[in-house]
Structure formats: C-alpha cells, structure tokens
Amino acid sequence: MASSLEELKALEELLTGPGAPFAVIRDEGGRLAYAEGARTLREFAETTWAFGDTPYLIADSGRLTYGEFFAAASALARRFLDTYGLAPGDRAVIAMRNHPEWQVAFWAAQLAGLVAVPLNSWWTADELAYALDDCRPGVLLVDGERYERVAPWLDARSGDDRPWTLVCHEEGREPGGPRVERYADLPAADPLLGPPDVDVTPEMDATILYTSGTTGRPKGAVATHHAHMGAIANPRYFAALSMLGRGLVPGQTAPLPGLLTFPFFHVAAFTGFYAAMAAGGTLVLMRKWDTDAALDLIREHGVGSFGGVPATALQLLARADELDDDLPTLTMFNTGGAAAPPELVARLTARFGERIEPRNGYGLTETLGGISANFGAQYRRWPESVGRPAPAVEARIADPDGGALPDGEVGELWLRGQCLIRGYWENPEATGAAFTTDGWFRTGDLARIGDGRISVVDRIKDMVIRGGENVYCVEVEAALHGHPDVLEAAVVGVPHPVLGEEVAAVVRVRPGSDLDAAGVREFAAKSLAGFKVPARVVVQEAELPRNATGKVLKREVRRGLASP
C-alpha cells in the first residue's frame, strides 16, 4: 500500500515516464495530452467488440453482452445515416433513464460521427424544450416517460423541422406521428455488419453536455473526441496507480462487477462506464436509488465496486450497519458528483478496516469527469483532499487577478489539459468568461494545493462572508457530518443587518433522533471557531433538496430558511 507521498510519486513515475502507458506530451496549444491510446470515441468503442459474451450492462429492463451492445450500436449508427439521412456533426439527443438503450444510443452516435447530447432525465417538459431549441437535434432517442415530455415540442414541428424520434420502454402516450419509431420494431442487429464507414477525427465534436443549471439556464459544454480520450485515460490511470499501490499488476485480474448509481447523463457516470469498457467490466444499473435494492444487487451479482454520490454512499453504509451486512464482495467504494465529507471515509474504515478501498475525486461537466483521485491510504490520511491531478491535467490556484498563489493559499482552482471542453455551444461570451486565452479553465471553486494534492474549500459563490470573516460552507458541513445522528447537512449564508451574512444550516437527522438545533450548535462548537458555528439551524428528518446529480440545491435551502 502506497502510504507515503514519496511512494506514491515513485508509482506515478512508473506509469508516466518516457514510453510508459500514461506518458504525456504538449499539444500545439501548449496543453498536456496523453501520448498513446485510441484517438476517438469510435476507435475506443470498436475495441469493446473483443469482450464478446462478457456481460456489459445488467438492468431490470434487460441486459447486454459486449457483443450484443456493439452489434446494436453499429446497426443504429447505420440507421442514423442510411434511414434518417443524418450526417456527421448532426446532434443526437438522448433523454432516458439508465436503460441499456441509453448506452446503445450514445455509442451509435459516436460510430456515426454524430454529436451525442445527453439530457437530464429529471428535467421538466419546459427544461427539455429549452435544450432542444438550443441544440436543434436531428434525432431524439427517448424512453416512454421522456417521450411524454417532449411530445408537445415535437407536435409544434413539421416537415424537416421535426427530428426523427426513437422510443423505448413506452409508457403513457402511444408513440406515433411522422418520423417516430419504436426500438421494439427495429430489425435485429447483424453482429457481422459492423459500424458504418465514417471518417471520425479527434478534432470533431463528440458531445454537448448541459451543465446542471443550479444558478441559471444550463449551458451546453462542447467536447471533442480528443478531449474524451483524455477523460477515458484519467480513470484508467488512477485504477492502475491504485493497483500498483496494493501490490497488484494492472491488467492481470478480471474486474468485479460494479454498481453504478449515477445517471448516465452525468460526467461521474462517464468516469464509471469508460473505466468499465476499457477493462471489459460489467456494470449493474439501478432505475432509481433505493438503499435496500442496492444491497440486494450487491449480493446478487457479487458487486466489487460501488459508485455513487456521498449522500447515497452514507445511506448505504448506514443501512449495512443496521442489517449487520459485511458487504463481503465489495472491494472499492467510489464517491463523486458532490463534495464528500471526511467523516465518510472514517465510517467506512471503522466498519470494514482496509478491506474496502475508499476513493473520491474531483471533476466537472467541463472536465468530462474526474481529473483527480484520492484513494486508499492516501485518502485515509488526507480525507479532506480530492487527490493529485491526472498526468494530462495541470492545476493552479489563482488570486482574483489571475496571479498564481503559493502552496497552502486559498484561491480559485484553474485547470488546463486534454480532457477540458472546447467551450460552450454557440455562447462565445460564456466561453470567454470561463477560459483564459492560453487555455486555463476557471472552475469557480475555491481550493488550496499542497504537495500536489488538491483540497476544494467551497464554491466561490457559496462562501459566507460574516462580518468580514470568510466561512467555507464545506468545512462547516464536514464538521456537522461528524455527529452520528446527522445524515445530511447543508450550510448557506443568509442576510444579517449588521454582519452582512450569518451562517445557517439545515440538518437531516436519523429517524427518532433527539438532536435539536441547540445540540447541533454545541457539537459544531467543539471543532469550529465561534464565527463559523451556524447561528440558525433547522433540524429535520426529510431529505435535502437535490438535483439529479446529487448536488444540494442551496437556493432552495436558502428559500426554506427565509420562509416563516
């Protein structure tokens, strides 16, 4: 186990030195990029054919082997071009739950040279209509529930203005009308036919991923194939580093099935399914989060790796404790999509020792998934960190004027590297505000760096300024999570007539807990300076409001605190 920084650096050098599998070069724009590997998502998808009868996806709505998956994606890619008359560069919107058909649709778009546009499956009809108007798709691939929501948008269009629509898992409104087809009616895929003959290059756009829109209208983040290949290499690098740290040789052990609870449209899921596809791993899917169902799936399929947001991870650990479930097959515990409280790894270690390796990391829509990872002994020693960046990612801490800050100083985290998006869809103003002229991306996150490890302190807009003192909400939330009765905590700033802002918290507790507001403040005061202790506390058993990616909707938390 690589427990020291020196040991970790030695392993990193083994993987990134000249001729090593994760060696990097600088591209023409001065950004770091991996020297080897597939060049496009199409090339990457084609390699999965070799896994043949190995199961790729297991879901309650069906399962697919790698061979079946690749045949279905190839057939659909041909249909896009030959039947629907689409051309490389046209947009293919995907709006559905985590059905196997989602993966078939996404990779069919890549095989055909289309731009895949995964949309948030939780969005309302109006939110979906906004994105559809914005990206102007040539084809919609939806499940029955999403078809209900996009049908009014489709009904308002006719002729060439109406995109083709392919519907799976129909429910409610019967699919019908011009250019509407059902997955169930498609001809069987010919496994010998393969994908269409299309020239896909690294510089072509591969995806438009809409931001979560927690502060306004979502923006379409546009990423090339070259960027996605960086995003594919990042989790492979961290997996290899983890294995070397545990004394194993990468590539010589068959991957255990993984339980993926992130929605496919979220970049945390991209990190998961990219890693699985690269190794021929099996993914077990959930239609919606349910703690008991997750435990059943782990037992039924011998799941070795869990992936979810911290909220679901904490719920899983709590339920396993209640049932005295030792999770005997689990060896990896991954969290992402939101900040993980340090208490999470402490609870995992207290319950399972070092048998289950904890892992968290940091990533954004604009980075196409995780760009750093903290795992194993390093995570247990520095639980507040999100780890060191991947080889093809540079990180710096900037002051308000863009100047570099020294180690240990808090400032805005800037990133540059292969996996960054090229900008926002038809929005040069937003692109210019987010990116510097030399390619650095302003994340909007406050962080510090020490010994190469990144520690995210807070979102810039979430920091509370109380009487001139900076209070980082993530720090206060981490302290509150240390109480055994606290399941969730959200800290925000609310207006104060003298101080400008004061610290407020909404805390979700275990059912039957007698913890009250005074108890929360008393507990927080044990580890926090007085000005950081929440002045206003709401204690409840109800879940906190979250978006589909697991992030707490702090504007709703503030609104609730403002209500009488």
Side-chain angles (χ1 to χ4, degrees), residues 91 133-136 220 222 422-429 431:
R91 273 75 63 199
D133 285 334
D134 189 54
C135 72
R136 305 181 301 280
V222 186
R422 68 167 179 83
Y424 297 105
W425 174 252
E426 296 183 345
N427 195 338
E429 182 178 346
T431 300

Side-chain angles (χ1 to χ4, degrees), residues 358-402:
R359 181 182 297 179
N360 81 340
Y362 175 84
L364 302 162
T365 302
E366 289 85 353
T367 65
L368 306 177
I371 59 92
S372 70
N374 197 13
F375 45 84
Q378 295 284 317
Y379 189 6
R380 293 187 180 96
R381 186 173 178 183
W382 289 284
E384 78 290 344
S385 171
V386 293
R388 291 162 61 85
V393 175
E394 295 175 282
R396 60 178 290 196
I397 302 298
D399 64 25
D401 296 322

